[in-house]
Amino acid sequence: QVQLVESGGGLVQAGDSLRLSCAASGGAFSVYAIGWFRQAPGKEREFVAAITWSGGNTYYADSAKGRFTISRDNAKNTVYLQMNSLKPEDTAVYYCAASRRIAIWTLTSTSAYDYWGQGTQVTVSS
């Protein structure tokens, strides 16, 4: 069983940057692909970015391309989401999740994931 804890959220202004962290414990972190999702009030949880177990492949939602970067440090059991040029529409609770799947194109669905963190709030003011 893997436990995931997100951190790094906060209140920022449009155009600012934030780096979210997803720290894992309790399992073999390096075998899991990790995804970031977000959920705004009244909306469904949506895919943001994913990274394979080795870090060799990444995948982004169109809304994240060019602004967000996902990376991982398996020695620290941590995955990061660097978010630049933030917009008010990026406001949401951000969740990280762990998946045993290998094919990165399957990691855009919430159903692909086995473990979830509790989320961290990101609020971007205009």
Side-chain angles (χ1 to χ4, degrees), residues 3-98:
Q3 291 82 44
L4 303 172
V5 178
E6 303 94 336
S7 62
L11 172 62
V12 297
Q13 293 186 333
D16 286 350
S17 298
L18 277 176
R19 189 177 78 158
L20 305 183
S21 298
C22 172
S25 63
F29 174 74
S30 61
V31 305
Y32 289 93
I34 300 294
W36 283 97
F37 288 75
R38 66 187 183 187
Q39 189 166 19
K43 295 188 177 182
E44 292 187 353
R45 193 167 296 189
E46 66 174 5
F47 171 76
V48 176
I51 189 166
T52 52
W53 66 272
S54 67
N57 286 296
T58 57
Y59 194 79
Y60 297 92
D62 288 343
S63 60
K65 287 179 182 177
R67 298 189 301 128
F68 295 2
T69 302
I70 189 170
S71 62
R72 69 188 295 159
D73 185 341
N74 284 343
K76 295 182 178 180
N77 285 357
T78 302
V79 170
Y80 305 98
L81 184 68
Q82 177 67 43
M83 305 188 295
N84 299 328
S85 302
L86 283 162
K87 305 174 182 179
E89 51 264 45
D90 294 318
T91 295
V93 177
Y94 283 71
Y95 299 89
C96 66

